[in-house]
């Protein structure tokens, strides 16, 4: 056949094996021989049944994403799946690892699907700004019903084999040897004799479906789409499967897919798919990683507790160290409560909770960290405190242990220099809540050893984090650009914009919330302490903090939060404060439009991103996108600040930065040389234009 598709015989059963490492994507060089194999086996009289299986660690993980945006080479997936359904003899998909996207659609083209008990199955296309374009939105509802199909397709979250069996998606689950199991299953079916009904004709669950209930579910989902087109298109296509004849629904699916794949949102989300994988590549593939089995976390506060949970969730034993028993018990109680909330929400079983809590050991003695392979410090954000902790760590930690700091701003070189082993020191900047947020900024200090970096990047993926390696500067990549984004927020208030107006521009842009609501959520005192430490000021926020108004946690900040609610209400006192301060500064308020707000907040942020690239603090522009999408809620449909800058137009951005630089004289508006350079080439290296 070909290197990528082979056919073997096991009695009357023909086994078609796809072998296209690393994830058996259905690239053109797979599709062509696959089509040929299936056509010839269909017509082969002495073949009683056909099994489709994959070599390597997984079943087909989808269409080849690298082929999107390029002319489609025939046969495309739809042609193969349509041909599959013309095969009268039983066809069985043997699933192991992941059956995702086009991979699950291939399996839906078969009469039967059997899976290994550890397999996962899903249609994650929505995460690429797409919808399942190989018939998945039309065939899946036939097996699992429209509502289940809707939730699987709009969430894009894969399900396990047991759930797939219960939902009617697969026909059997086995422990191991899926191909051999599939051959046995196939010959059994062949023995029973047909006819074998293609999935497309099993519309029993569709007919009975309740369109009203479906539309109600769609309305709920639409609220969460936040301007993303793909979730809406997914829902529309599943609805078509209920309302239209099969072939018409397929055509409609194809049209929706063609529109999405050519759109900026999908380009942005595909950019992020590859950007996340690029970011996790550190130099020295063959570097021996250090063994990490036992982890220590110093500090059981909000960050320390979340970090400890992130490691326990990853299966690591964790020693949590606190200065006092009282603080330790408080921290462990918070961890227990967080798990209890997950159990009450059904996202964790009571057993899992018990098992995870069993991984924790509390202590108030540094000596108990002596057997840890990695120790993460999450104490108060003050250099003197950090140095004192690292000095004590240096005395007790075993040789070769990795010492990490969770500082979000401070100089990791200086912290490392407070030990006798700076080569073992690295920054691990988690984002709150650390057991939930995906991003991990890994700060490479001057002396951080290459194997320490490689070990921590790999470890990050093992605990479900998205790692990005950054250099040492104040605020690293994320917080440094956040400061640039915020530098004009207060000026905009004094000149006439309101917190609600600015936040509305951000939510219209696609952010979960705007800077003022975000400040209130995180706590205004964090930025305040940081500004005080650096001798900087923010007139309105500082005044609120001096009055003890830190945001949600005090019930009052830029917004009011009555009776502990999380819903922000306008705060008339803040509006009066802004007017007073503006008058004090002789600033006459004026009408400010959404474009100006975007130009004076996001453009300086992009400019700061360019400076970060110039200084080598980030290795690629796409790393900056990964930081902002996974750590700061930058809308995925815009691909991150640097990708979005390409969509917005670098010339336009430079033009407006020049305008505001001339008008305000503020340095952060002065376009970075790299930005001008990139405007000439039209693209950041690492970010497709
Ligand atoms: N196409 C091309 N390359 C892919 C790929 C794909 N579908 N999936 C993975 N890769 C590359 C990836 O870039 C990396 O490359 C290497 O494989 C290992 O991946 C018509 C429209 C399967 C869970 O969305 O979720 O089907 O960096 O590091 O952590 O309806 O890969 O080494 O050079 O992620 O073990 C739908 C995408 C496609 C699933 C494995 N499918 N893949 O995770 O490895 S759209 C998906 C994943 C579609 C049809 C439509 C994960 C994984 P490199 P990795 P991993």
């Amino acid at each position: 056949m070909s290197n990528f598709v082979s056919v073997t015989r096991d009695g009357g059963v023909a086994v078609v094996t796809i072998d296209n490492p690393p994830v058996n994507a259905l690239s053109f060089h797979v599709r062509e021989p696959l089509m040929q194999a299936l056509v010839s086996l269909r017509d082969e009289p002495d073949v009683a049944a056909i099994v489709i299986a994959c070599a390597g660690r997984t079943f087909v993980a989808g269409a080849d994403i690298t082929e999107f945006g390029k002319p489609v080479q025939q046969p495309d997936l739809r042609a193969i799946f349509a041909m599959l359904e013309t095969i009268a003899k039983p066809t069985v998909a043997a699933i192991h690892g992941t059956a995702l996207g086009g991979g699950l659609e291939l399996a839906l083209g078969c009469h039967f699907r059997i899976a290994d008990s550890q397999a996962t199955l899903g249609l994650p296309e929505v995460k690429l700004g797409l919808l399942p374009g190989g018939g998945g939105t039309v065939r899946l509802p036939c097996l699992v019903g429209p509502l289940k199909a809707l939730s699987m397709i709009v969430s894009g979250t894969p399900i396990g084999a047991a759930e797939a069996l219960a939902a009617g998606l697969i026909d059997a689950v086995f422990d191991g040897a899926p191909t051999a199991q599939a051959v046995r299953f196939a010959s059994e079916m062949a023995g029973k004799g047909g006819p074998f009904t293609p999935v497309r004709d099993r519309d029993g669950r569709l007919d009975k479906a309740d369109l009203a209930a479906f539309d109600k579910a769609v309305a709920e989902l639409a609220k969460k789409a936040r301007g993303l087109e793909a979730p809406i298109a997914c829902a529309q296509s599943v609805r078509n499967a209920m309302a239209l004849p099969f072939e018409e629904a397929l055509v409609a699916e194809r049209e929706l897919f063609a529109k999405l794949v050519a759109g900026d949102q999908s380009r942005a989300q595909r950019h992020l798919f590859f950007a996340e994988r690029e970011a996790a590549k550190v130099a020295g593939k063959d570097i021996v990683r250090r063994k990490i089995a036992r982890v220590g976390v110093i500090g059981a506060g909000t960050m320390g507790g979340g970090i400890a949970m992130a490691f326990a969730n990853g299966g690591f034993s964790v020693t949590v160290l606190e200065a006092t028993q009282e603080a330790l018990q408080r921290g462990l109680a918070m961890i227990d409560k967080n798990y209890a909330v997950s159990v009450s929400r059904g996202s964790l079983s009571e057993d899992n909770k018990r098992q995870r809590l069993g991984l924790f050991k509390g202590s108030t003695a540094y000596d108990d960290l002596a057997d840890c392979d990695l120790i993460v410090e999450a104490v108060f954000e003050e250099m003197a405190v950090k140095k004192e902790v690292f000095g004590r760590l240096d005395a007790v930690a075993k040789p070769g242990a990795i010492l990490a700091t969770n500082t979000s701003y401070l100089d990791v070189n200086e912290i490392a220099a407070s030990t006798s082993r700076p080569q073992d020191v690295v920054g691990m900047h988690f984002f709150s809540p650390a057991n939930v947020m995906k991003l991990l900024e890994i700060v490479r200090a001057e002396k951080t050893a290459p194997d320490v970096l490689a070990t921590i990047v790999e470890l990050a993926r093992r605990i479900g984090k998205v790692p990005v390696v950054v250099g040492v500067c104040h605020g690293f990549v994320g917080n440094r650009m956040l400061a640039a984004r915020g530098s004009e927020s207060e000026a905009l208030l004094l000149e006439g914009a309101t917190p609600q107006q600015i936040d509305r521009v951000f939510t219209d842009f696609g952010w979960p919330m705007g800077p003022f609501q975000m400040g209130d959520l995180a706590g205004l005192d964090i930025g305040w302490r940081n500004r005080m430490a650096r001798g900087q000021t923010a007139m309105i926020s500082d005044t609120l903090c001096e009055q003890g108004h830190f945001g949600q946690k005090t019930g009052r900040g830029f917004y009011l939060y009555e009776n502990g609610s999380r819903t922000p209400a306008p705060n008339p006192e803040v509006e009066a404060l802004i007017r007073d301060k503006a008058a004090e500064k002789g600033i006459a308020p004026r009408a400010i439009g959404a474009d100006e707000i975007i130009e004076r907040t996001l453009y300086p942020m992009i400019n700061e991103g360019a400076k970060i690239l110039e200084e080598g603090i980030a290795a690629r522009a796409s790393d900056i996108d990964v930081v902002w999408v996974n750590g700061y809620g930058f809308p995925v449909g815009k691909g991150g600040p640097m990708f979005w800058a390409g969509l917005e137009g670098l010339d336009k951005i430079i033009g407006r930065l020049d305008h505001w630089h001339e008008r305000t004289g503020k340095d952060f508006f002065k376009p970075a040389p790299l930005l001008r350079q990139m405007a000439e080439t039209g693209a950041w290296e690492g970010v497709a234009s």
Side-chain angles (χ1 to χ4, degrees), residues 392-407:
R392 297 185 67 177
L393 266 184
D394 197 18
V396 297
K398 67 181 179 185
I402 296 178
L403 311 181
T405 170
N406 178 55
T407 179

Side-chain angles (χ1 to χ4, degrees), residues 28 87 207 225 239 283 327 406 426 428 439 451 478 508 523 539 553 592 638 675 688:
F28 169 66
I87 299 177
D207 300 348
R239 194 179 198 292
N406 178 55
V426 67
M428 291 180 78
L439 179 66
D451 67 331
D508 289 352
M539 187 182 262
K553 59 186 166 188
I592 294 180
K638 298 217 167 38
L675 200 60

Side-chain angles (χ1 to χ4, degrees), residues 31 51 111 182 199 225 240 262 273 283 319 400 438 535 542 551 557 616 619 646 652:
R31 294 196 305 272
V51 166
H111 298 112
V199 169
N240 292 340
F273 177 85
T319 301
K438 284 259 180 220
D542 293 352
K652 174 184 174 191

Side-chain angles (χ1 to χ4, degrees), residues 22-23 57 61 63-65 77 102 105 124-125 132-133 257 273 277 281:
V23 295
R57 64 188 167 111
D64 186 335
I65 305 169
L77 294 184
E105 290 170 310
E125 286 85 344
F257 182 85
F273 177 85
R277 283 149 185 83
K281 290 180 183 151

Side-chain angles (χ1 to χ4, degrees), residues 558-605:
F558 279 95
Y559 295 93
L560 294 177
Y561 303 87
E562 259 114 29
N563 317 324
S565 103
R566 289 174 167 223
T567 315
N571 180 347
E573 277 184 28
V574 165
E575 284 149 27
L577 171 66
I578 294 169
R579 278 197 302 281
D580 297 351
K581 294 294 179 188
E584 240 177 64
K585 298 195 83 166
I587 299 172
R590 59 182 174 83
I592 294 180
D595 291 351
E596 178 176 343
I597 290 170
I598 292 281
E599 288 173 10
R600 292 173 66 182
T601 55
L602 298 191
Y603 289 11
M605 193 177 120

